Amino acid sequence: MLTPSTEDDLARMVAGAEGPLRILGGGTRPVGAVVNGTPLSTRGLAGVELYEPGALTLVAKAGTPLADVETALAAEGQRLAFEPMDHRGLLGTQGTPTIGGVVAANISGPRRIQVGAARDFLLGVRFVDGRGQVIRNGGRVMKNVTGYDLVKLMAGSHGTLGVLTEVALKVLPDAQAAATLRCRGLDDAQAVQALCRALASPYEVSGAAHLQKGAGDRPETLIRLEGFPDSVAYRAEALQKALGGVGVFEVETDPDATRAAWDGVRDVGPFHGRGGDVWRLSVKPTDAPGLVARLDGVEALYDWGGGLVWLLAPEDRGPAIRQAVSDTGGHATQVRGGGAGAFQPLAPAVAALQDALRHKFDPRGILNPGRMGRAA
Amino acid sequence: MEMPAPDPTVLARKDALIARFKEVLPKDAVISDPVETRAYECDALTAYKCPPLAVVLPSSTQEVAAALRICHEMQVPVVPRGAGTSLAGGALPSGDSVILGVARLTEVLETDFDNRFVRVQAGRTNLSVTQAVEEEGFFYAPDPSSQLACAIAGNIAMNSGGAHCLKYGVTTNNLLGVTMVLMDGTVIELGGPHLDAEGLDLLGLVCGSEGQLGVVTEATLRILHKPEGARPVLIGFDSNEVAGQCVSDIIKAGILPVAIEFMDRPCIRATEAFAGAGYPDCEALLIVEVEGSDAEIDAQLETISRIAQQHDPVELRQSASEEESARIWLGRKSAFGAMGQINDYMCLDGTIPVSQLPFVLRRIGEMSADYGLEVANVFHAGDGNMHPLILFNANTPGELERCEALGADILKLCVEAGGCLTGEHGVGVEKRDLMSDQYAPADLEIQMAVKDVFDPAWLLNPAKVFPLDISRAHRDRAA
């Protein structure tokens, strides 16, 4: 295992590598093909380098544990608004998630529907490309259109374009209060209809989920509101009224209960410790219930108002899931049990562009080769 | 600012090129008469002008693909053009280039309020996207100040922002998908009504690539329900430092205003003389706007006012009605018009870390005195995106050059302060030659390598973004 302690070290190791490297943050999200190569961990590159609460900006080395970032932010009443998911419970992995890993896999949570994904909060990156060169793109300011946006390209590239060494993030104030509106017993179509209606309101919904099997294995539809206490109370009542035609939504304001409910959605709690494959689908929300209904023997958890579908499926459902997504639009990733075929197959012209980009960033094809589906 | 000399071999093929265009495009979609091409000789950066070889105005993705295929085969440079409102010269032609205008691609293709998106042709104007959905109470969030005229295609090319991005983000945060034509005529789809990319985030890469990677013909855009209401508070201070500290304290208090606008004394005086909005004559003025129901707005404005009071404001005016709001915004919205009244001006667009605000304003004041040119500052303080306006007289020989030199120095100052050259206008030709001040050679090299992937022959808007000597050396090495 290579564990560089500085960016220069890392650059030298990559430049001197004689074969494939398996790039690791905390190693908690092994989605996609297993890379046969020398492990290279960024955990030696750790530490928050700059944090300006008044400017909503934080810069950290890539190997900084996510928990350290969240602790620093919480001390100032701020947070990573995109609410990165913790994959350990779902994938049965050990280890310490890093901020670089969150960025490399573009990991977001329920609040993505309101505020955007990890990539939307990424202001700048430093990384080492496949030649061992240190590259900088973006910066630490919120508005920056100077040159091409490689920042977005690096987010979600799973270490196949470069090894992240530093990330700059926009952060946001934590909410003073939160409430969950909860309705039990809706079917999938009714639930997604309710979630769409809530999201199309002016009430700033920050979470919209439906669990086919919630508490007591009964369907549970959840809507989250956050903000100043009076404002949350006002909007909760307004939404209750607006959704009256769909079902009875009760308001939960206990902070611990609300946090637990949304951590469960974020980390796909209902699937923890259960056998089978896990799929993650990104689709147009109103397409989701029909798509799920076409698949036998699966259990679904809907987030992002229906646009994100988590499926717990028997091992032989891959082709049926791929077919269903291909018919309706969107994309699917096999998060557990996927291997080399985990990522969505791409249209040939788009695949050709992606291969050519990888070749430019990593001409020798040594950075996580094949991790996202095609060998470089 | 230098543009490459037109390629005589391209100029010599003009007739053949026009004939090929006429085979695939309607007659009125091909413009080659030198009198008519003059209408396309510049964009909103009017200091630089050059009529193109020809102009094509396709009406569909297929026609765009056909036109690009011809240019690709004949190796003719193409400059894509939205509405021509770029302040950075993004749509400035070269004499041997074809302007590909998307002005005829204006249809709304799909509106979906359940899934909260609209799909439009990319030549549609920014404001008319909102107009297409506002009857149902929705809007498209990015709102560049040229929104009445500017096209979505240009917004995507430059990753345009606006006054409200502190809360709603810029174009890239509101763009869900595109149909794009590559230089060789290949049509690709990126994204769609679903969220996040499959594979690498090419959509994020394309947004802000200044028309150098492909021509976007259709866009899927996120729409949001309008807030119940919005109202501002106006706060005047006797020092820039204190105003900057107040911005920081508001943000630290957990409030996320939809806009925080900042004007300095030269700007306040000019707008006051022009619009008479009743602004106090003070060093720095903030307009902070919040959204929500009436009660929510009142509560937030109260908190903001309480914070502001701790900084001894010379004026604090909370809006309680639409009329009062309009009055508070009047001066800010007429700032550019007011400047234009006094003088010619150049509008800069650097971004700085908010914490550097007092330092940067002080330095700009010193530089302004050194150059003998007045600078007025109006900007989006919440996100640090500055718009220093340098006043000059274009009829005085040498003054434009002096103004450009001061502008370059101010932008370098933004970079030194930890910021960047451009926050929302783009690099274009205007800031092209400063790119080496922000990026190291390897940083630029890999960006140019991205262009190689999408446009190996560098035919799409080739003289923009990268300094000419650097891009020439890169292409020579690649060849």
Side-chain angles (χ1 to χ4, degrees), chain A residues 183-217:
Chain A
C183 181
R184 294 184 209 275
L186 297 181
D187 68 29
D188 292 7
Q190 291 169 323
V192 169
Q193 189 200 347
L195 298 177
C196 285
R197 193 177 294 179
L199 287 164
S201 77
Y203 305 124
E204 306 201 338
V205 167
S206 77
H210 175 68
L211 290 64
Q212 280 186 335
K213 290 185 180 171
D217 276 357

PDB file of all heavy atoms in Angstrom, chain A residues 183-217:
ATOM      1  N   CYS A 183     -46.707  10.292   6.296  1.00  0.00           N
ATOM      2  CA  CYS A 183     -47.997   9.682   5.975  1.00  0.00           C
ATOM      3  C   CYS A 183     -47.770   8.194   5.791  1.00  0.00           C
ATOM      4  O   CYS A 183     -46.815   7.787   5.134  1.00  0.00           O
ATOM      5  CB  CYS A 183     -48.550  10.299   4.685  1.00  0.00           C
ATOM      6  SG  CYS A 183     -50.155   9.640   4.196  1.00  0.00           S
ATOM      7  N   ARG A 184     -48.625   7.372   6.379  1.00  0.00           N
ATOM      8  CA  ARG A 184     -48.455   5.922   6.254  1.00  0.00           C
ATOM      9  C   ARG A 184     -49.520   5.336   5.332  1.00  0.00           C
ATOM     10  O   ARG A 184     -50.638   5.823   5.276  1.00  0.00           O
ATOM     11  CB  ARG A 184     -48.571   5.258   7.625  1.00  0.00           C
ATOM     12  CG  ARG A 184     -47.440   5.650   8.559  1.00  0.00           C
ATOM     13  CD  ARG A 184     -47.536   4.895   9.890  1.00  0.00           C
ATOM     14  NE  ARG A 184     -46.960   5.671  10.978  1.00  0.00           N
ATOM     15  CZ  ARG A 184     -45.668   5.682  11.281  1.00  0.00           C
ATOM     16  NH1 ARG A 184     -44.810   4.967  10.578  1.00  0.00           N
ATOM     17  NH2 ARG A 184     -45.228   6.416  12.288  1.00  0.00           N
ATOM     18  N   GLY A 185     -49.106   4.309   4.609  1.00  0.00           N
ATOM     19  CA  GLY A 185     -50.088   3.523   3.867  1.00  0.00           C
ATOM     20  C   GLY A 185     -50.302   3.912   2.415  1.00  0.00           C
ATOM     21  O   GLY A 185     -51.123   3.299   1.727  1.00  0.00           O
ATOM     22  N   LEU A 186     -49.570   4.909   1.904  1.00  0.00           N
ATOM     23  CA  LEU A 186     -49.745   5.274   0.492  1.00  0.00           C
ATOM     24  C   LEU A 186     -49.082   4.236  -0.405  1.00  0.00           C
ATOM     25  O   LEU A 186     -48.054   3.658  -0.061  1.00  0.00           O
ATOM     26  CB  LEU A 186     -49.117   6.643   0.205  1.00  0.00           C
ATOM     27  CG  LEU A 186     -49.686   7.868   0.929  1.00  0.00           C
ATOM     28  CD1 LEU A 186     -48.945   9.131   0.485  1.00  0.00           C
ATOM     29  CD2 LEU A 186     -51.185   8.012   0.661  1.00  0.00           C
ATOM     30  N   ASP A 187     -49.673   4.004  -1.582  1.00  0.00           N
ATOM     31  CA  ASP A 187     -48.951   3.163  -2.544  1.00  0.00           C
ATOM     32  C   ASP A 187     -47.920   4.031  -3.272  1.00  0.00           C
ATOM     33  O   ASP A 187     -47.906   5.259  -3.117  1.00  0.00           O
ATOM     34  CB  ASP A 187     -49.910   2.429  -3.489  1.00  0.00           C
ATOM     35  CG  ASP A 187     -50.634   3.359  -4.456  1.00  0.00           C
ATOM     36  OD1 ASP A 187     -50.078   4.424  -4.809  1.00  0.00           O
ATOM     37  OD2 ASP A 187     -51.773   3.016  -4.861  1.00  0.00           O
ATOM     38  N   ASP A 188     -47.069   3.385  -4.080  1.00  0.00           N
ATOM     39  CA  ASP A 188     -45.937   4.115  -4.669  1.00  0.00           C
ATOM     40  C   ASP A 188     -46.393   5.302  -5.512  1.00  0.00           C
ATOM     41  O   ASP A 188     -45.837   6.396  -5.430  1.00  0.00           O
ATOM     42  CB  ASP A 188     -45.095   3.183  -5.565  1.00  0.00           C
ATOM     43  CG  ASP A 188     -44.366   2.128  -4.750  1.00  0.00           C
ATOM     44  OD1 ASP A 188     -44.612   2.031  -3.537  1.00  0.00           O
ATOM     45  OD2 ASP A 188     -43.556   1.392  -5.348  1.00  0.00           O
ATOM     46  N   ALA A 189     -47.422   5.081  -6.332  1.00  0.00           N
ATOM     47  CA  ALA A 189     -47.857   6.137  -7.247  1.00  0.00           C
ATOM     48  C   ALA A 189     -48.444   7.323  -6.474  1.00  0.00           C
ATOM     49  O   ALA A 189     -48.145   8.485  -6.773  1.00  0.00           O
ATOM     50  CB  ALA A 189     -48.877   5.596  -8.241  1.00  0.00           C
ATOM     51  N   GLN A 190     -49.257   7.007  -5.454  1.00  0.00           N
ATOM     52  CA  GLN A 190     -49.819   8.095  -4.629  1.00  0.00           C
ATOM     53  C   GLN A 190     -48.706   8.864  -3.927  1.00  0.00           C
ATOM     54  O   GLN A 190     -48.731  10.093  -3.838  1.00  0.00           O
ATOM     55  CB  GLN A 190     -50.741   7.510  -3.539  1.00  0.00           C
ATOM     56  CG  GLN A 190     -52.028   6.913  -4.054  1.00  0.00           C
ATOM     57  CD  GLN A 190     -52.737   6.127  -2.944  1.00  0.00           C
ATOM     58  OE1 GLN A 190     -52.087   5.463  -2.124  1.00  0.00           O
ATOM     59  NE2 GLN A 190     -54.066   6.193  -2.930  1.00  0.00           N
ATOM     60  N   ALA A 191     -47.729   8.105  -3.435  1.00  0.00           N
ATOM     61  CA  ALA A 191     -46.645   8.737  -2.681  1.00  0.00           C
ATOM     62  C   ALA A 191     -45.849   9.682  -3.579  1.00  0.00           C
ATOM     63  O   ALA A 191     -45.582  10.828  -3.210  1.00  0.00           O
ATOM     64  CB  ALA A 191     -45.726   7.667  -2.098  1.00  0.00           C
ATOM     65  N   VAL A 192     -45.475   9.211  -4.765  1.00  0.00           N
ATOM     66  CA  VAL A 192     -44.676  10.064  -5.661  1.00  0.00           C
ATOM     67  C   VAL A 192     -45.494  11.280  -6.088  1.00  0.00           C
ATOM     68  O   VAL A 192     -44.970  12.390  -6.205  1.00  0.00           O
ATOM     69  CB  VAL A 192     -44.152   9.249  -6.865  1.00  0.00           C
ATOM     70  CG1 VAL A 192     -43.563  10.168  -7.932  1.00  0.00           C
ATOM     71  CG2 VAL A 192     -43.100   8.251  -6.395  1.00  0.00           C
ATOM     72  N   GLN A 193     -46.786  11.088  -6.249  1.00  0.00           N
ATOM     73  CA  GLN A 193     -47.649  12.232  -6.572  1.00  0.00           C
ATOM     74  C   GLN A 193     -47.596  13.269  -5.447  1.00  0.00           C
ATOM     75  O   GLN A 193     -47.470  14.473  -5.699  1.00  0.00           O
ATOM     76  CB  GLN A 193     -49.087  11.729  -6.767  1.00  0.00           C
ATOM     77  CG  GLN A 193     -50.025  12.789  -7.308  1.00  0.00           C
ATOM     78  CD  GLN A 193     -51.500  12.445  -7.050  1.00  0.00           C
ATOM     79  OE1 GLN A 193     -51.838  11.318  -6.674  1.00  0.00           O
ATOM     80  NE2 GLN A 193     -52.362  13.424  -7.237  1.00  0.00           N
ATOM     81  N   ALA A 194     -47.667  12.792  -4.206  1.00  0.00           N
ATOM     82  CA  ALA A 194     -47.613  13.712  -3.063  1.00  0.00           C
ATOM     83  C   ALA A 194     -46.259  14.414  -2.999  1.00  0.00           C
ATOM     84  O   ALA A 194     -46.175  15.624  -2.746  1.00  0.00           O
ATOM     85  CB  ALA A 194     -47.870  12.952  -1.762  1.00  0.00           C
ATOM     86  N   LEU A 195     -45.189  13.656  -3.227  1.00  0.00           N
ATOM     87  CA  LEU A 195     -43.847  14.238  -3.151  1.00  0.00           C
ATOM     88  C   LEU A 195     -43.645  15.291  -4.239  1.00  0.00           C
ATOM     89  O   LEU A 195     -43.067  16.351  -4.008  1.00  0.00           O
ATOM     90  CB  LEU A 195     -42.781  13.138  -3.273  1.00  0.00           C
ATOM     91  CG  LEU A 195     -42.797  12.066  -2.167  1.00  0.00           C
ATOM     92  CD1 LEU A 195     -41.734  10.998  -2.436  1.00  0.00           C
ATOM     93  CD2 LEU A 195     -42.594  12.683  -0.792  1.00  0.00           C
ATOM     94  N   CYS A 196     -44.137  14.982  -5.448  1.00  0.00           N
ATOM     95  CA  CYS A 196     -44.014  15.944  -6.546  1.00  0.00           C
ATOM     96  C   CYS A 196     -44.775  17.222  -6.198  1.00  0.00           C
ATOM     97  O   CYS A 196     -44.300  18.329  -6.458  1.00  0.00           O
ATOM     98  CB  CYS A 196     -44.561  15.354  -7.851  1.00  0.00           C
ATOM     99  SG  CYS A 196     -43.452  14.147  -8.597  1.00  0.00           S
ATOM    100  N   ARG A 197     -45.951  17.052  -5.615  1.00  0.00           N
ATOM    101  CA  ARG A 197     -46.744  18.226  -5.272  1.00  0.00           C
ATOM    102  C   ARG A 197     -46.013  19.065  -4.221  1.00  0.00           C
ATOM    103  O   ARG A 197     -45.967  20.293  -4.297  1.00  0.00           O
ATOM    104  CB  ARG A 197     -48.127  17.797  -4.760  1.00  0.00           C
ATOM    105  CG  ARG A 197     -49.098  18.952  -4.699  1.00  0.00           C
ATOM    106  CD  ARG A 197     -50.491  18.533  -4.270  1.00  0.00           C
ATOM    107  NE  ARG A 197     -51.146  17.670  -5.250  1.00  0.00           N
ATOM    108  CZ  ARG A 197     -52.375  17.154  -5.067  1.00  0.00           C
ATOM    109  NH1 ARG A 197     -53.036  17.405  -3.956  1.00  0.00           N
ATOM    110  NH2 ARG A 197     -52.912  16.397  -5.992  1.00  0.00           N
ATOM    111  N   ALA A 198     -45.420  18.398  -3.244  1.00  0.00           N
ATOM    112  CA  ALA A 198     -44.695  19.121  -2.191  1.00  0.00           C
ATOM    113  C   ALA A 198     -43.493  19.863  -2.777  1.00  0.00           C
ATOM    114  O   ALA A 198     -43.220  21.009  -2.420  1.00  0.00           O
ATOM    115  CB  ALA A 198     -44.232  18.140  -1.115  1.00  0.00           C
ATOM    116  N   LEU A 199     -42.779  19.202  -3.692  1.00  0.00           N
ATOM    117  CA  LEU A 199     -41.587  19.811  -4.273  1.00  0.00           C
ATOM    118  C   LEU A 199     -41.938  20.947  -5.238  1.00  0.00           C
ATOM    119  O   LEU A 199     -41.111  21.821  -5.496  1.00  0.00           O
ATOM    120  CB  LEU A 199     -40.743  18.749  -4.989  1.00  0.00           C
ATOM    121  CG  LEU A 199     -39.995  17.802  -4.042  1.00  0.00           C
ATOM    122  CD1 LEU A 199     -39.519  16.563  -4.783  1.00  0.00           C
ATOM    123  CD2 LEU A 199     -38.811  18.513  -3.396  1.00  0.00           C
ATOM    124  N   ALA A 200     -43.146  20.913  -5.766  1.00  0.00           N
ATOM    125  CA  ALA A 200     -43.564  21.973  -6.683  1.00  0.00           C
ATOM    126  C   ALA A 200     -44.245  23.121  -5.939  1.00  0.00           C
ATOM    127  O   ALA A 200     -44.838  23.988  -6.542  1.00  0.00           O
ATOM    128  CB  ALA A 200     -44.511  21.399  -7.736  1.00  0.00           C
ATOM    129  N   SER A 201     -44.140  23.112  -4.615  1.00  0.00           N
ATOM    130  CA  SER A 201     -44.721  24.185  -3.799  1.00  0.00           C
ATOM    131  C   SER A 201     -43.638  25.220  -3.486  1.00  0.00           C
ATOM    132  O   SER A 201     -42.461  24.968  -3.719  1.00  0.00           O
ATOM    133  CB  SER A 201     -45.242  23.594  -2.481  1.00  0.00           C
ATOM    134  OG  SER A 201     -44.151  23.349  -1.601  1.00  0.00           O
ATOM    135  N   PRO A 202     -44.024  26.369  -2.937  1.00  0.00           N
ATOM    136  CA  PRO A 202     -42.985  27.341  -2.546  1.00  0.00           C
ATOM    137  C   PRO A 202     -42.402  27.064  -1.160  1.00  0.00           C
ATOM    138  O   PRO A 202     -41.710  27.912  -0.621  1.00  0.00           O
ATOM    139  CB  PRO A 202     -43.757  28.672  -2.568  1.00  0.00           C
ATOM    140  CG  PRO A 202     -45.172  28.324  -2.348  1.00  0.00           C
ATOM    141  CD  PRO A 202     -45.386  26.903  -2.802  1.00  0.00           C
ATOM    142  N   TYR A 203     -42.646  25.896  -0.569  1.00  0.00           N
ATOM    143  CA  TYR A 203     -42.318  25.700   0.847  1.00  0.00           C
ATOM    144  C   TYR A 203     -40.932  25.123   1.120  1.00  0.00           C
ATOM    145  O   TYR A 203     -40.634  24.694   2.224  1.00  0.00           O
ATOM    146  CB  TYR A 203     -43.419  24.880   1.532  1.00  0.00           C
ATOM    147  CG  TYR A 203     -44.778  25.519   1.349  1.00  0.00           C
ATOM    148  CD1 TYR A 203     -45.840  24.819   0.794  1.00  0.00           C
ATOM    149  CD2 TYR A 203     -44.970  26.853   1.699  1.00  0.00           C
ATOM    150  CE1 TYR A 203     -47.072  25.428   0.589  1.00  0.00           C
ATOM    151  CE2 TYR A 203     -46.201  27.471   1.499  1.00  0.00           C
ATOM    152  CZ  TYR A 203     -47.245  26.757   0.950  1.00  0.00           C
ATOM    153  OH  TYR A 203     -48.452  27.371   0.743  1.00  0.00           O
ATOM    154  N   GLU A 204     -40.081  25.083   0.114  1.00  0.00           N
ATOM    155  CA  GLU A 204     -38.673  24.735   0.306  1.00  0.00           C
ATOM    156  C   GLU A 204     -38.479  23.401   1.005  1.00  0.00           C
ATOM    157  O   GLU A 204     -37.839  23.306   2.064  1.00  0.00           O
ATOM    158  CB  GLU A 204     -37.950  25.866   1.036  1.00  0.00           C
ATOM    159  CG  GLU A 204     -38.145  27.193   0.304  1.00  0.00           C
ATOM    160  CD  GLU A 204     -37.094  28.240   0.640  1.00  0.00           C
ATOM    161  OE1 GLU A 204     -36.475  28.140   1.696  1.00  0.00           O
ATOM    162  OE2 GLU A 204     -36.895  29.147  -0.195  1.00  0.00           O
ATOM    163  N   VAL A 205     -39.005  22.363   0.387  1.00  0.00           N
ATOM    164  CA  VAL A 205     -38.862  21.002   0.898  1.00  0.00           C
ATOM    165  C   VAL A 205     -37.406  20.565   0.764  1.00  0.00           C
ATOM    166  O   VAL A 205     -36.799  20.722  -0.284  1.00  0.00           O
ATOM    167  CB  VAL A 205     -39.790  20.063   0.093  1.00  0.00           C
ATOM    168  CG1 VAL A 205     -39.453  18.608   0.349  1.00  0.00           C
ATOM    169  CG2 VAL A 205     -41.247  20.374   0.418  1.00  0.00           C
ATOM    170  N   SER A 206     -36.837  20.013   1.836  1.00  0.00           N
ATOM    171  CA  SER A 206     -35.420  19.627   1.787  1.00  0.00           C
ATOM    172  C   SER A 206     -35.229  18.113   1.839  1.00  0.00           C
ATOM    173  O   SER A 206     -34.107  17.627   1.929  1.00  0.00           O
ATOM    174  CB  SER A 206     -34.645  20.288   2.926  1.00  0.00           C
ATOM    175  OG  SER A 206     -34.900  19.622   4.148  1.00  0.00           O
ATOM    176  N   GLY A 207     -36.325  17.369   1.762  1.00  0.00           N
ATOM    177  CA  GLY A 207     -36.250  15.914   1.688  1.00  0.00           C
ATOM    178  C   GLY A 207     -37.609  15.397   1.272  1.00  0.00           C
ATOM    179  O   GLY A 207     -38.629  15.920   1.742  1.00  0.00           O
ATOM    180  N   ALA A 208     -37.641  14.409   0.382  1.00  0.00           N
ATOM    181  CA  ALA A 208     -38.921  13.878  -0.111  1.00  0.00           C
ATOM    182  C   ALA A 208     -38.725  12.421  -0.457  1.00  0.00           C
ATOM    183  O   ALA A 208     -38.152  12.091  -1.481  1.00  0.00           O
ATOM    184  CB  ALA A 208     -39.384  14.672  -1.335  1.00  0.00           C
ATOM    185  N   ALA A 209     -39.166  11.529   0.448  1.00  0.00           N
ATOM    186  CA  ALA A 209     -38.852  10.107   0.302  1.00  0.00           C
ATOM    187  C   ALA A 209     -40.076   9.237   0.529  1.00  0.00           C
ATOM    188  O   ALA A 209     -41.037   9.648   1.186  1.00  0.00           O
ATOM    189  CB  ALA A 209     -37.756   9.718   1.287  1.00  0.00           C
ATOM    190  N   HIS A 210     -40.019   8.035  -0.048  1.00  0.00           N
ATOM    191  CA  HIS A 210     -41.073   7.051   0.192  1.00  0.00           C
ATOM    192  C   HIS A 210     -40.432   5.687   0.387  1.00  0.00           C
ATOM    193  O   HIS A 210     -39.679   5.220  -0.460  1.00  0.00           O
ATOM    194  CB  HIS A 210     -42.053   7.004  -0.987  1.00  0.00           C
ATOM    195  CG  HIS A 210     -43.097   5.929  -0.857  1.00  0.00           C
ATOM    196  ND1 HIS A 210     -44.088   5.966   0.093  1.00  0.00           N
ATOM    197  CD2 HIS A 210     -43.272   4.773  -1.540  1.00  0.00           C
ATOM    198  CE1 HIS A 210     -44.861   4.874  -0.024  1.00  0.00           C
ATOM    199  NE2 HIS A 210     -44.374   4.145  -1.004  1.00  0.00           N
ATOM    200  N   LEU A 211     -40.745   5.060   1.526  1.00  0.00           N
ATOM    201  CA  LEU A 211     -40.225   3.735   1.826  1.00  0.00           C
ATOM    202  C   LEU A 211     -41.350   2.722   1.629  1.00  0.00           C
ATOM    203  O   LEU A 211     -42.404   2.848   2.259  1.00  0.00           O
ATOM    204  CB  LEU A 211     -39.737   3.657   3.281  1.00  0.00           C
ATOM    205  CG  LEU A 211     -38.480   4.428   3.682  1.00  0.00           C
ATOM    206  CD1 LEU A 211     -38.648   5.940   3.547  1.00  0.00           C
ATOM    207  CD2 LEU A 211     -38.098   4.091   5.127  1.00  0.00           C
ATOM    208  N   GLN A 212     -41.126   1.735   0.759  1.00  0.00           N
ATOM    209  CA  GLN A 212     -42.166   0.704   0.619  1.00  0.00           C
ATOM    210  C   GLN A 212     -42.355  -0.031   1.935  1.00  0.00           C
ATOM    211  O   GLN A 212     -43.454  -0.431   2.295  1.00  0.00           O
ATOM    212  CB  GLN A 212     -41.779  -0.295  -0.480  1.00  0.00           C
ATOM    213  CG  GLN A 212     -42.074   0.206  -1.883  1.00  0.00           C
ATOM    214  CD  GLN A 212     -41.803  -0.865  -2.922  1.00  0.00           C
ATOM    215  OE1 GLN A 212     -40.991  -1.774  -2.700  1.00  0.00           O
ATOM    216  NE2 GLN A 212     -42.460  -0.754  -4.069  1.00  0.00           N
ATOM    217  N   LYS A 213     -41.233  -0.233   2.647  1.00  0.00           N
ATOM    218  CA  LYS A 213     -41.327  -0.869   3.960  1.00  0.00           C
ATOM    219  C   LYS A 213     -40.665   0.022   4.999  1.00  0.00           C
ATOM    220  O   LYS A 213     -39.467  -0.039   5.216  1.00  0.00           O
ATOM    221  CB  LYS A 213     -40.673  -2.247   3.942  1.00  0.00           C
ATOM    222  CG  LYS A 213     -41.477  -3.248   3.120  1.00  0.00           C
ATOM    223  CD  LYS A 213     -40.891  -4.636   3.197  1.00  0.00           C
ATOM    224  CE  LYS A 213     -41.732  -5.603   2.352  1.00  0.00           C
ATOM    225  NZ  LYS A 213     -41.096  -6.906   2.230  1.00  0.00           N
ATOM    226  N   GLY A 214     -41.460   0.870   5.626  1.00  0.00           N
ATOM    227  CA  GLY A 214     -40.966   1.726   6.702  1.00  0.00           C
ATOM    228  C   GLY A 214     -41.179   1.028   8.028  1.00  0.00           C
ATOM    229  O   GLY A 214     -41.110  -0.215   8.120  1.00  0.00           O
ATOM    230  N   ALA A 215     -41.474   1.834   9.072  1.00  0.00           N
ATOM    231  CA  ALA A 215     -41.691   1.261  10.398  1.00  0.00           C
ATOM    232  C   ALA A 215     -42.814   0.228  10.346  1.00  0.00           C
ATOM    233  O   ALA A 215     -43.854   0.469   9.723  1.00  0.00           O
ATOM    234  CB  ALA A 215     -42.031   2.386  11.376  1.00  0.00           C
ATOM    235  N   GLY A 216     -42.597  -0.931  10.981  1.00  0.00           N
ATOM    236  CA  GLY A 216     -43.608  -1.988  11.007  1.00  0.00           C
ATOM    237  C   GLY A 216     -43.878  -2.553   9.629  1.00  0.00           C
ATOM    238  O   GLY A 216     -44.957  -3.086   9.363  1.00  0.00           O
ATOM    239  N   ASP A 217     -42.889  -2.421   8.723  1.00  0.00           N
ATOM    240  CA  ASP A 217     -43.016  -2.910   7.348  1.00  0.00           C
ATOM    241  C   ASP A 217     -44.177  -2.282   6.585  1.00  0.00           C
ATOM    242  O   ASP A 217     -44.653  -2.821   5.584  1.00  0.00           O
ATOM    243  CB  ASP A 217     -43.128  -4.442   7.310  1.00  0.00           C
ATOM    244  CG  ASP A 217     -41.750  -5.105   7.341  1.00  0.00           C
ATOM    245  OD1 ASP A 217     -40.743  -4.343   7.326  1.00  0.00           O
ATOM    246  OD2 ASP A 217     -41.685  -6.339   7.384  1.00  0.00           O
TER     247      ASP A 217
END
